[in-house]
Amino acid sequence: MKLCMIGTGYVGLVSGVCFADLGNEVICVDKDLNKINKLRKSIIPIYEPGLDELVKKNSKSGRLKFSTNINESVQKSNIIFICVGTPTKKNKYEADLSQVYDVAKKISKNIKSFKIIINKSTVPVMTGDKVEKIISRKVKKNLFSVVSNPEFLREGEAIRDFVYPDRIVIGTSSKKSNKILKNLYSPLISKGAKYINTSRRAAELIKYASNAFLATKITFINELANLCEKLNINVEDLSIGIGTDKRIGGRFLRAGPAYGGSCFPKDTRALVDTANKSLTSLSVIKSVINSNNKRSNLLLNNISKILKNRIKNKKITFLGVTFKANTDDMRESSSLKMIPYLNKKGAKIKYYDPTGKKSEFDKLKNVQFKKNIKEACMSSDLIIIHTEWNEFKLIDLKRIVNKKKFIVYDLRNIYSPEKIKKQKIQYFGIGR
Ligand code: UGA
């Protein structure tokens, strides 16, 4: 099939490359010429394990092309995926849909034969209705169909999530589109993915509700971790103990810092906004947002207690600063609150991240990027494990810190408290 992905951000690029790998002809479109030129040379703008090999392989085979020409790309394709960003509006909860509507207008000028237009961007309920309205101003209804097909890829695991999804959600009442899309996804369905056809509005809500539910699970376990700390219970025992009940499920019950990234914070806010507009209160999700917003302060208070309220001049190391491991994404990472706060209180901070230096901390005096774990940890008073990269899991801390007394605050519970305490290192984890 001939596909066109508009927007080569995370969703568009990963899905486009994976669709090409399944044998489709794919054009990935972006208005950013610089990005497109780099992609043409197989230079990838994001860190995603395995993506560069797939880009190279499929570009070489001719199935994957990159372009800045939206008109030509739409004309050449049968299925058009809208994959542009839907960030939160400044100082609001509402999603900014201007890019989606802009693209819809451009698509509407290029439809001469039947095309399926798919919203893959995460969009509030009824955005599909609006996109359909925009296109129908220029195009006869029988020449197009607007479908919602949300994506459930996780950064860092995106290729595996694309190839082995739990489910594929197609929101459309058009039998013709449903048949074509079931065929497009047939290689994944035959590997076990559940194909779910719903109304367009339901598909849009499924996406937000999925992210909100996962964010709720994380917040739930984070709050219980606070209680575990008071009662001397290991939260990991709790996660296993409740997670083995199939009705609850064991995943997304890892206690840690505030959840972050480009999706959970933005999508929970947008869902509350949608509900407010429909005069419905989503009190559970509102308190999830509230609890998560407070979580970094709570951890900072813990740090203060651990350091006996003496943060000034303390040497603090952050291992990992992105919002989670296996990504270079800093969006809504809890380190963005924690590092500036500690810096303001007079701490001397060194950080190491496997994805390199972060411009977000450039302007902070006494915050330094170090190019390896050893340099970052040397003579530190407090080492904060902020993200769960594999390379942090077996560090010989005693040797590399090279100091008699230091503290480890393991925000991801990657170390065994028993083993680390045997080495006479003062250790704190989350909920244990
Ligand atoms: C999330 C969803 O998991 C994807 O299904 C969805 O497609 C994506 O958002 C999106 O809407 O595009 P992502 O943001 O890449 O994916 O990352 P996650 O692995 O879900 O992690 C999100 C945050 O939750 C991170 O800060 C992570 O550290 C935290 N987390 C996750 C926990 O604190 N504990 C857990 O057990 C799991």
Coordinates of all heavy atoms in Angstrom, one line a residue, residues 252-327:
F252 N 3.6 -1.4 35.2 CA 3.4 0.0 35.5 C 3.0 0.1 37.0 O 2.3 1.0 37.4 CB 2.3 0.7 34.6 CG 2.9 1.1 33.3 CD1 3.4 0.2 32.4 CD2 3.2 2.4 33.1 CE1 4.0 0.5 31.2 CE2 3.8 2.8 31.9 CZ 4.2 1.9 31.0
L253 N 3.7 -0.7 37.8 CA 3.6 -0.6 39.3 C 5.0 -0.4 39.9 O 5.2 -0.8 41.0 CB 2.9 -1.8 39.8 CG 1.4 -1.9 39.7 CD1 0.9 -3.2 40.3 CD2 0.7 -0.7 40.4
R254 N 5.9 0.2 39.1 CA 7.2 0.5 39.6 C 7.2 1.9 40.2 O 7.0 2.8 39.5 CB 8.3 0.4 38.5 CG 8.9 -1.0 38.3 CD 9.9 -0.9 37.2 NE 9.3 -0.7 35.8 CZ 9.5 0.4 35.1 NH1 10.3 1.4 35.6 NH2 8.9 0.6 34.0
A255 N 7.4 1.9 41.5 CA 7.4 3.2 42.2 C 8.7 3.9 41.8 O 9.7 3.3 41.5 CB 7.4 3.1 43.7
G256 N 8.7 5.3 41.7 CA 9.8 6.0 41.3 C 9.6 7.5 41.4 O 8.7 7.9 42.2
P257 N 10.3 8.3 40.6 CA 10.1 9.7 40.7 C 8.8 10.1 40.0 O 8.1 9.2 39.5 CB 11.3 10.3 39.9 CG 11.8 9.2 39.1 CD 11.4 7.9 39.7
A258 N 8.4 11.3 39.9 CA 7.2 11.7 39.2 C 7.2 11.2 37.8 O 8.3 11.3 37.1 CB 7.1 13.2 39.2
Y259 N 6.1 10.7 37.3 CA 6.1 10.3 35.9 C 6.3 11.5 35.0 O 5.9 12.6 35.4 CB 4.9 9.5 35.5 CG 3.6 10.2 35.6 CD1 3.2 11.2 34.6 CD2 2.7 10.0 36.6 CE1 2.0 11.9 34.7 CE2 1.5 10.7 36.7 CZ 1.1 11.7 35.8 OH 0.0 12.3 35.9
G260 N 6.9 11.3 33.8 CA 7.2 12.5 32.9 C 7.0 12.0 31.5 O 6.2 11.1 31.2
G261 N 7.7 12.7 30.6 CA 7.6 12.4 29.2 C 6.7 13.3 28.4 O 6.1 14.2 28.9
S262 N 6.6 12.9 27.1 CA 5.8 13.8 26.2 C 4.3 13.4 26.2 O 3.5 14.0 25.5 CB 6.4 13.7 24.8 OG 6.2 12.4 24.4
C263 N 3.9 12.4 27.0 CA 2.6 11.9 26.8 C 1.7 11.9 28.1 O 0.7 12.6 28.1 CB 2.6 10.4 26.3 SG 3.6 10.3 24.9
F264 N 2.1 11.2 29.2 CA 1.3 11.1 30.4 C 0.9 12.5 30.9 O -0.3 12.8 31.1 CB 1.9 10.3 31.5 CG 2.0 8.8 31.2 CD1 2.6 8.0 32.0 CD2 1.3 8.3 30.1 CE1 2.7 6.6 31.8 CE2 1.4 6.9 29.8 CZ 2.1 6.1 30.7
P265 N 1.9 13.4 31.1 CA 1.5 14.7 31.7 C 0.5 15.5 30.8 O -0.5 16.0 31.2 CB 2.8 15.5 31.9 CG 3.8 14.4 31.9 CD 3.3 13.3 31.0
K266 N 0.9 15.5 29.5 CA 0.1 16.2 28.5 C -1.3 15.6 28.3 O -2.3 16.3 28.3 CB 0.8 16.2 27.2 CG 0.0 16.5 25.9 CD 0.9 16.5 24.7 CE 1.1 15.2 24.0 NZ 0.0 14.6 23.3
D267 N -1.4 14.3 28.2 CA -2.6 13.6 27.9 C -3.6 13.6 29.1 O -4.8 13.7 28.9 CB -2.4 12.2 27.4 CG -1.6 12.2 26.1 OD1 -1.5 13.3 25.5 OD2 -1.2 11.2 25.7
T268 N -3.1 13.5 30.3 CA -4.0 13.6 31.5 C -4.6 15.0 31.6 O -5.8 15.1 31.9 CB -3.2 13.2 32.8 OG1 -1.9 13.9 32.8 CG2 -3.0 11.8 33.0
R269 N -3.8 16.0 31.3 CA -4.3 17.4 31.3 C -5.4 17.5 30.3 O -6.5 18.1 30.5 CB -3.2 18.4 31.1 CG -2.2 18.5 32.2 CD -1.3 19.7 32.1 NE -0.4 19.6 31.0 CZ 0.9 19.3 31.1 NH1 1.4 19.1 32.3 NH2 1.7 19.2 30.0
A270 N -5.1 17.1 29.1 CA -6.1 17.2 28.0 C -7.4 16.5 28.2 O -8.4 16.9 27.9 CB -5.4 16.8 26.6
L271 N -7.3 15.3 28.9 CA -8.5 14.6 29.2 C -9.4 15.3 30.2 O -10.6 15.4 30.0 CB -8.1 13.2 29.7 CG -9.2 12.2 30.0 CD1 -10.2 12.0 28.8 CD2 -8.7 10.8 30.4
V272 N -8.7 15.9 31.2 CA -9.5 16.7 32.2 C -10.1 17.9 31.4 O -11.3 18.2 31.7 CB -8.5 17.2 33.3 CG1 -9.2 18.3 34.1 CG2 -8.2 16.0 34.2
D273 N -9.4 18.5 30.5 CA -10.0 19.6 29.8 C -11.2 19.2 29.0 O -12.2 19.9 29.0 CB -8.9 20.2 28.8 CG -9.4 21.3 28.0 OD1 -9.7 22.4 28.6 OD2 -9.6 21.2 26.8
T274 N -11.1 18.0 28.3 CA -12.2 17.5 27.5 C -13.4 17.3 28.4 O -14.6 17.6 28.1 CB -11.8 16.1 26.8 OG1 -10.8 16.4 26.0 CG2 -13.0 15.5 26.1
A275 N -13.2 16.7 29.6 CA -14.3 16.4 30.5 C -14.9 17.7 31.1 O -16.1 17.8 31.1 CB -13.7 15.6 31.7
N276 N -14.0 18.7 31.4 CA -14.6 20.0 31.8 C -15.5 20.6 30.8 O -16.6 21.1 31.1 CB -13.4 21.0 32.1 CG -12.7 20.6 33.4 OD1 -13.2 19.8 34.2 ND2 -11.5 21.2 33.5
K277 N -15.1 20.5 29.5 CA -15.9 21.1 28.5 C -17.2 20.3 28.3 O -18.2 20.8 27.8 CB -15.2 21.0 27.1 CG -14.1 22.1 27.1 CD -13.3 22.0 25.8 CE -12.2 23.1 25.9 NZ -11.1 22.7 25.1
S278 N -17.2 19.0 28.8 CA -18.5 18.2 28.7 C -19.2 18.3 30.1 O -20.0 17.4 30.3 CB -18.2 16.8 28.3 OG -17.5 16.7 27.1
L279 N -18.8 19.2 30.9 CA -19.3 19.4 32.3 C -19.3 18.1 33.1 O -20.3 17.7 33.7 CB -20.8 19.9 32.2 CG -20.9 21.2 31.4 CD1 -22.3 21.7 31.4 CD2 -20.0 22.3 32.0
T280 N -18.2 17.4 33.0 CA -18.0 16.1 33.7 C -16.8 16.2 34.5 O -15.7 16.7 34.0 CB -17.9 14.9 32.8 OG1 -19.0 14.9 31.9 CG2 -17.8 13.6 33.5
S281 N -16.8 15.8 35.8 CA -15.6 15.9 36.6 C -14.9 14.6 36.7 O -15.4 13.6 37.0 CB -16.0 16.4 38.0 OG -14.8 16.3 38.8
L282 N -13.6 14.6 36.2 CA -12.8 13.4 36.4 C -11.9 13.6 37.6 O -10.7 13.9 37.5 CB -11.9 13.2 35.1 CG -12.7 13.0 33.8 CD1 -11.7 12.8 32.6 CD2 -13.6 11.8 33.9
S283 N -12.5 13.4 38.8 CA -11.8 13.7 40.0 C -10.6 12.8 40.2 O -9.6 13.2 40.8 CB -12.8 13.6 41.2 OG -13.3 12.3 41.3
V284 N -10.7 11.5 39.8 CA -9.5 10.6 40.0 C -8.3 11.2 39.2 O -7.2 11.3 39.7 CB -9.9 9.2 39.5 CG1 -8.7 8.3 39.6 CG2 -11.0 8.6 40.4
I285 N -8.6 11.5 38.0 CA -7.4 11.9 37.1 C -6.9 13.3 37.6 O -5.7 13.5 37.6 CB -7.8 11.9 35.6 CG1 -8.2 10.5 35.3 CG2 -6.7 12.4 34.7 CD1 -8.9 10.4 34.0
K286 N -7.8 14.1 38.1 CA -7.3 15.4 38.6 C -6.4 15.2 39.8 O -5.4 15.9 39.9 CB -8.5 16.3 39.0 CG -9.2 17.0 37.9 CD -10.2 18.0 38.5 CE -11.3 18.3 37.6 NZ -12.6 18.7 38.2
S287 N -6.8 14.3 40.6 CA -5.9 14.1 41.8 C -4.6 13.4 41.4 O -3.6 13.6 42.1 CB -6.6 13.4 43.0 OG -7.4 12.4 42.6
V288 N -4.6 12.6 40.3 CA -3.4 12.0 39.8 C -2.4 13.1 39.4 O -1.2 13.1 39.8 CB -3.7 11.0 38.7 CG1 -2.4 10.6 37.9 CG2 -4.4 9.7 39.2
I289 N -3.0 14.0 38.6 CA -2.1 15.1 38.1 C -1.6 15.9 39.3 O -0.4 16.2 39.4 CB -3.0 16.1 37.2 CG1 -3.5 15.4 36.0 CG2 -2.2 17.3 36.9 CD1 -4.5 16.1 35.1
N290 N -2.4 16.2 40.3 CA -2.0 16.9 41.5 C -0.9 16.2 42.2 O 0.1 16.8 42.6 CB -3.3 17.1 42.3 CG -3.1 18.2 43.3 OD1 -2.2 19.0 43.3 ND2 -4.0 18.2 44.3
S291 N -1.1 14.9 42.5 CA -0.2 14.1 43.2 C 1.2 14.1 42.5 O 2.2 14.2 43.1 CB -0.8 12.7 43.4 OG 0.2 11.9 44.0
N292 N 1.1 13.9 41.2 CA 2.3 13.8 40.4 C 3.1 15.1 40.4 O 4.3 15.2 40.5 CB 2.1 13.3 39.0 CG 3.3 12.9 38.3 OD1 4.0 11.9 38.7 ND2 3.7 13.6 37.2
N293 N 2.3 16.2 40.3 CA 3.0 17.6 40.4 C 3.7 17.8 41.7 O 4.7 18.5 41.7 CB 1.9 18.7 40.2 CG 1.4 18.8 38.8 OD1 2.1 18.3 37.9 ND2 0.3 19.4 38.6
K294 N 3.2 17.2 42.7 CA 3.8 17.4 44.1 C 5.0 16.4 44.3 O 5.7 16.6 45.3 CB 2.8 17.2 45.2 CG 1.8 18.3 45.2 CD 0.9 18.0 46.4 CE -0.2 19.1 46.5 NZ -1.4 18.5 47.2
R295 N 5.1 15.4 43.5 CA 6.0 14.3 43.8 C 7.5 14.8 43.8 O 8.3 14.3 44.7 CB 5.9 13.2 42.8 CG 6.8 12.0 43.2 CD 6.1 10.7 43.1 NE 7.0 9.6 43.5 CZ 7.0 9.1 44.8 NH1 6.2 9.6 45.7 NH2 7.9 8.2 45.1
S296 N 7.9 15.6 42.9 CA 9.3 16.1 42.9 C 9.6 16.8 44.2 O 10.7 16.7 44.7 CB 9.6 16.9 41.7 OG 9.4 16.1 40.5
N297 N 8.7 17.6 44.7 CA 8.9 18.4 45.9 C 9.1 17.4 47.1 O 9.9 17.6 48.0 CB 7.8 19.3 46.2 CG 7.8 20.5 45.4 OD1 8.9 20.8 44.8 ND2 6.7 21.3 45.3
L298 N 8.2 16.4 47.0 CA 8.3 15.4 48.1 C 9.7 14.7 48.1 O 10.4 14.5 49.2 CB 7.2 14.3 47.9 CG 6.9 13.3 49.0 CD1 5.4 13.1 49.0 CD2 7.6 12.0 48.7
L299 N 10.2 14.3 46.9 CA 11.5 13.7 46.8 C 12.6 14.7 47.2 O 13.6 14.3 47.9 CB 11.8 13.1 45.4 CG 10.8 12.1 45.0 CD1 11.2 11.5 43.6 CD2 10.7 10.9 45.9
L300 N 12.4 16.0 46.9 CA 13.4 17.0 47.3 C 13.5 17.1 48.8 O 14.5 17.3 49.4 CB 13.1 18.3 46.6 CG 13.5 18.3 45.1 CD1 12.8 19.5 44.4 CD2 15.0 18.4 44.9
N301 N 12.3 17.0 49.4 CA 12.3 17.1 50.9 C 13.0 15.9 51.5 O 13.8 16.0 52.4 CB 10.8 17.0 51.4 CG 10.2 18.3 51.5 OD1 10.9 19.3 51.6 ND2 8.9 18.4 51.5
N302 N 12.8 14.7 50.8 CA 13.6 13.5 51.3 C 15.1 13.8 51.2 O 15.9 13.4 52.1 CB 13.2 12.3 50.5 CG 11.8 11.8 50.8 OD1 11.2 12.3 51.7 ND2 11.3 10.9 50.0
I303 N 15.5 14.4 50.1 CA 16.9 14.6 49.9 C 17.4 15.6 51.0 O 18.5 15.3 51.6 CB 17.2 15.2 48.5 CG1 16.9 14.2 47.4 CG2 18.6 15.8 48.3 CD1 16.9 14.7 46.0
S304 N 16.6 16.6 51.3 CA 17.0 17.5 52.3 C 17.2 16.8 53.6 O 18.2 17.0 54.4 CB 15.9 18.5 52.4 OG 16.3 19.6 53.1
K305 N 16.3 15.9 53.9 CA 16.4 15.1 55.2 C 17.6 14.2 55.2 O 18.3 14.1 56.2 CB 15.1 14.2 55.4 CG 14.0 15.0 56.0 CD 12.8 14.0 56.3 CE 11.5 14.6 56.1 NZ 10.5 13.7 55.6
I306 N 17.8 13.5 54.0 CA 19.0 12.6 53.9 C 20.3 13.4 54.2 O 21.2 12.9 54.8 CB 19.0 12.0 52.5 CG1 17.8 11.0 52.4 CG2 20.3 11.3 52.2 CD1 17.6 10.5 50.9
L307 N 20.3 14.7 53.7 CA 21.5 15.4 53.9 C 21.5 16.3 55.2 O 22.2 17.2 55.3 CB 21.7 16.4 52.7 CG 22.0 15.7 51.3 CD1 22.0 16.7 50.2 CD2 23.4 15.0 51.4
K308 N 20.5 15.9 56.0 CA 20.4 16.6 57.3 C 20.3 18.1 57.2 O 20.9 18.9 57.9 CB 21.5 16.3 58.3 CG 21.7 14.8 58.5 CD 22.4 14.5 59.7 CE 22.4 13.0 60.1 NZ 22.9 12.1 59.2
N309 N 19.5 18.5 56.2 CA 19.2 19.9 55.9 C 20.4 20.7 55.5 O 20.4 22.0 55.5 CB 18.5 20.6 57.0 CG 17.1 20.0 57.2 OD1 16.4 19.7 56.2 ND2 16.7 19.9 58.5
R310 N 21.5 20.0 55.1 CA 22.7 20.8 54.7 C 22.9 20.5 53.2 O 23.7 19.6 52.9 CB 23.9 20.4 55.6 CG 23.8 21.0 56.9 CD 25.1 20.8 57.7 NE 24.8 20.6 59.1 CZ 25.0 19.5 59.8 NH1 25.7 18.5 59.2 NH2 24.7 19.5 61.1
I311 N 22.3 21.3 52.4 CA 22.4 21.0 50.9 C 23.6 21.9 50.4 O 24.3 21.4 49.5 CB 21.1 21.4 50.2 CG1 20.0 20.4 50.6 CG2 21.3 21.3 48.7 CD1 18.6 20.7 50.0
K312 N 23.8 23.0 51.0 CA 24.8 24.0 50.5 C 26.2 23.3 50.4 O 26.6 22.6 51.4 CB 24.9 25.2 51.4 CG 25.5 26.4 50.7 CD 25.3 27.6 51.4 CE 26.0 28.7 50.6 NZ 26.3 29.8 51.3
N313 N 26.8 23.5 49.2 CA 28.2 23.0 49.0 C 28.3 21.4 48.9 O 29.4 20.9 48.8 CB 29.2 23.5 50.0 CG 29.4 24.9 49.8 OD1 29.4 25.4 48.6 ND2 29.6 25.7 50.8
K314 N 27.1 20.7 49.0 CA 27.2 19.3 48.9 C 27.4 18.9 47.5 O 26.9 19.5 46.5 CB 25.9 18.7 49.4 CG 25.8 18.6 50.9 CD 26.6 17.5 51.5 CE 26.7 17.3 53.0 NZ 26.7 18.4 53.9
K315 N 28.2 17.9 47.3 CA 28.5 17.4 45.9 C 27.4 16.3 45.6 O 27.4 15.3 46.2 CB 29.9 16.8 45.8 CG 31.0 17.9 45.9 CD 32.3 17.2 45.8 CE 33.4 18.2 46.3 NZ 34.5 17.5 46.9
I316 N 26.6 16.7 44.6 CA 25.5 15.7 44.3 C 25.6 15.3 42.8 O 25.8 16.1 41.9 CB 24.1 16.4 44.5 CG1 24.0 16.8 46.0 CG2 23.0 15.4 44.1 CD1 22.6 17.5 46.3
T317 N 25.5 14.0 42.6 CA 25.6 13.4 41.3 C 24.2 12.9 40.8 O 23.6 12.2 41.6 CB 26.6 12.2 41.2 OG1 27.9 12.7 41.6 CG2 26.7 11.6 39.9
F318 N 23.8 13.2 39.6 CA 22.6 12.6 39.0 C 23.1 11.6 38.0 O 23.8 12.0 37.0 CB 21.7 13.7 38.4 CG 20.7 14.3 39.3 CD1 21.1 15.2 40.2 CD2 19.4 13.9 39.2 CE1 20.2 15.8 41.1 CE2 18.5 14.5 40.1 CZ 18.9 15.4 41.0
L319 N 22.7 10.4 38.1 CA 22.9 9.4 37.1 C 21.6 9.3 36.2 O 20.6 8.8 36.7 CB 23.3 8.1 37.6 CG 24.7 8.1 38.2 CD1 25.1 6.7 38.8 CD2 25.8 8.5 37.3
G320 N 21.7 9.8 35.0 CA 20.5 9.9 34.2 C 19.7 11.1 34.5 O 19.4 11.4 35.6
V321 N 19.3 11.8 33.4 CA 18.4 13.0 33.7 C 17.2 13.0 32.8 O 16.3 13.8 33.0 CB 19.2 14.3 33.4 CG1 20.2 14.5 34.6 CG2 19.8 14.4 32.1
T322 N 17.1 12.0 31.8 CA 15.9 12.0 30.9 C 14.7 11.4 31.7 O 14.9 10.9 32.8 CB 16.1 11.1 29.7 OG1 16.6 9.8 30.2 CG2 17.2 11.7 28.8
F323 N 13.5 11.5 31.1 CA 12.3 11.1 31.9 C 12.3 9.6 32.2 O 11.6 9.2 33.1 CB 11.0 11.6 31.3 CG 10.5 10.8 30.2 CD1 9.5 9.8 30.4 CD2 10.9 11.1 28.9 CE1 9.0 9.1 29.3 CE2 10.4 10.3 27.8 CZ 9.4 9.3 28.1
K324 N 13.0 8.8 31.5 CA 13.1 7.4 31.7 C 14.3 6.9 30.9 O 15.0 7.7 30.2 CB 11.9 6.6 31.3 CG 11.5 6.7 29.8 CD 10.4 5.7 29.5 CE 10.3 5.6 28.0 NZ 9.3 4.6 27.6
A325 N 14.7 5.6 31.0 CA 15.8 5.1 30.3 C 15.5 4.8 28.9 O 14.3 4.8 28.4 CB 16.2 3.8 31.0
N326 N 16.6 4.7 28.1 CA 16.4 4.3 26.6 C 15.8 5.4 25.8 O 15.1 5.1 24.8 CB 15.7 3.0 26.4 CG 16.5 1.9 27.0 OD1 17.7 1.8 26.9 ND2 15.8 1.0 27.7
T327 N 15.9 6.6 26.2 CA 15.4 7.8 25.4 C 16.3 9.0 25.7 O 16.9 9.0 26.8 CB 13.9 8.1 25.8 OG1 13.5 9.2 25.0 CG2 13.7 8.5 27.2

